[in-house]
Amino acid sequence: MLIFQKNIIPDKCFILIVFLKLFLILTAGCEKIENRNFYKYPFVISIFEGSNIYDLMPRLNNPVFTGDGVTDAQVSSVADPFLIKKGDKWYMFFEAYQWAIHKGVIAYAESEDDCYTWKYGKIILDKPWHQSFPCVFEYNSEYYMVPESKHSGSTWLHKAINFPEEWSDGKKILNIPLVDPAIFRKDGRWYMFGLDRHNLLLFYSNNHETGWKEHPASPIIIGDKKYRRPGGGVYFNGKDYYRIAQDCESDYGVAIHIFKIIELNQTKYREIPVPDNYNLHAGAEEWAKHGIHTLNIQQLDTNRIIAVVDGY
């Protein structure tokens, strides 16, 4: 046991230390969720549907997947879901959070009925560090994933060896530990958003596996907690690109905001907000009473889109 004498640490110094600790806790970015109490309300996963991004509505059978559905680990929450379709099946990759050890792993489930019911698969990525936000994409008939791996000190790309269950150990593509990296391709060039503590950064490359550089317009957002953190992968409707952001201004993931990218090339970036959807705010649904913080959209058919959402 350590005993401090008053002449070593005076009362004023002690008070200052306590004040500084409280200040750091209260001003930490929303990415420091492991130090807070948000996980007393478990995250669950639900499905939305609509004709476009402006009229997305939750389905009646929500939530469609909870932590109880994970059978190969003890998890308290399932969050950060991403959808991708291969053949006639939908696959959902998500973070399975193990509260007992404060660590997330990446797992998947599959659906054969347009995401109404889900069959759990298994944990497919389990590293020594926390992983979340499994941004999955297909390119040239190959499947890749860039999950958040900030506690490793880098950003990693994983390639499917045998989709959906077997993935490579991963390749470092950036020596920056991006929070919630969102990778996408536009006009033959690759781009990636990611939060670097307080700022939203943008990177670009001609090859998704190497050569990443920070964009001249980066950082896109400095400091603002309402719009800076990625809230899903970039959505492309065949014509326009949309950036998804999670609102952490007053609490962790209280809403989802969508921005239309109106200019993006190797030197320039511009975006404008689209009208907010009430259904994408905390409290709109009982399963998202406290927060709603990830949205990923895919085309369901020629006339409708489908989205996977998490809430707590």
Side-chain angles (χ1 to χ4, degrees):
M1 181 174 68
L2 297 175
I3 300 175
F4 296 103
Q5 298 176 6
K6 276 195 171 184
N7 61 343
I8 297 177
I9 301 183
D11 290 344
K12 288 183 179 180
C13 290
F14 178 77
I15 293 170
L16 178 61
I17 291 170
V18 172
F19 175 80
L20 287 173
K21 286 184 177 180
L22 287 172
F23 177 80
L24 290 173
I25 291 171
L26 291 172
T27 58
C30 64
E31 62 272 18
K32 294 293 184 180
I33 59 172
E34 61 270 27
N35 296 329
R36 297 184 176 187
N37 202 27
F38 296 109
Y39 279 104
K40 67 181 180 181
Y41 306 109
F43 279 74
V44 297
I45 295 173
S46 294
I47 298 294
F48 281 40
E49 193 175 324
S51 60
N52 54 61
I53 61 171
Y54 304 101
D55 67 359
L56 278 170
M57 293 282 292
R59 284 180 174 174
L60 297 177
N61 63 328
N62 285 326
V64 297
F65 200 85
T66 69
D68 293 336
V70 177
T71 57
D72 49 356
Q74 286 290 113
V75 306
S76 58
S77 291
V78 286
D80 290 347
F82 280 76
L83 282 179
I84 194 165
K85 193 174 187 182
K86 183 181 181 184
D88 295 328
K89 285 186 180 181
W90 285 95
Y91 296 90
M92 177 171 65
F93 294 89
F94 55 90
E95 171 200 351
Y97 189 78
Q98 300 167 297
W99 173 254
I101 57 175
H102 297 280
K103 178 172 173 281
V105 296
I106 306 302
Y108 87 96
E110 59 186 48
S111 174
E112 297 183 87
D113 59 1
D114 286 337
C115 305
Y116 282 97
T117 60
W118 291 91
K119 177 184 177 183
Y120 178 66
K122 59 183 284 189
I123 293 171
I124 52 102
L125 286 179
D126 185 355
K127 294 292 185 180
W129 52 82
H130 171 83
Q131 289 182 296
S132 60
F133 205 81
C135 187
V136 61
F137 62 97
E138 180 268 334
Y139 179 64
N140 285 343
S141 301
E142 300 281 2
Y143 291 84
Y144 300 87
M145 183 186 298
V146 180
E148 180 192 307
S149 302
K150 68 172 183 177
H151 292 299
S152 74
S154 304
T155 300
W156 296 73
L157 173 76
H158 299 267
K159 182 178 180 180
I161 299 170
N162 184 19
F163 185 90
E165 295 196 341
E166 295 182 46
W167 295 77
S168 69
D169 285 339
K171 175 182 180 179
K172 287 184 184 181
I173 57 173
L174 202 62
N175 288 321
I176 298 175
L178 292 180
V179 174
D180 298 343
I183 185 172
F184 65 105
R185 192 167 187 261
K186 180 181 185 295
D187 300 330
R189 185 172 288 114
W190 291 90
Y191 297 93
M192 182 166 55
F193 292 109
L195 183 67
D196 180 19
R197 188 161 177 78
H198 299 301
N199 302 324
L200 177 65
L201 306 184
L202 175 62
F203 296 84
Y204 72 97
S205 177
N206 291 325
N207 187 326
H208 59 293
E209 297 191 53
T210 187
W212 286 93
K213 299 178 182 178
E214 189 165 359
H215 194 277
S218 179
I220 302 301
I221 296 177
I222 300 174
D224 188 346
K225 292 183 180 180
K226 190 169 185 177
Y227 302 124
R228 72 187 183 189
R229 182 167 179 165
V234 171
Y235 169 58
F236 177 56
N237 66 1
K239 178 184 177 183
D240 298 309
Y241 291 81
Y242 295 87
R243 181 178 74 86
I244 313 298
Q246 62 170 283
D247 187 338
C248 292
E249 187 173 44
S250 61
D251 209 337
Y252 180 55
V254 295
I256 292 291
H257 303 292
I258 303 176
F259 292 83
K260 182 179 180 180
I261 298 172
I262 57 175
E263 185 175 22
L264 174 58
N265 54 43
Q266 199 168 344
T267 59
K268 296 180 181 179
Y269 180 84
R270 286 192 299 145
E271 64 179 25
I272 57 173
V274 304
D276 274 353
N277 184 331
Y278 169 76
N279 297 303
L280 297 176
H281 284 251
E285 296 289 320
E286 184 62 29
W287 52 267
K289 184 177 180 180
H290 306 282
I292 185 167
H293 89 322
T294 306
L295 167 74
N296 281 295
I297 307 169
Q298 294 286 341
Q299 203 70 30
L300 181 59
D301 54 41
T302 55
N303 298 313
R304 300 192 66 75
I305 60 174
I306 192 169
V308 61
V309 183
D310 65 6
Y312 70 101

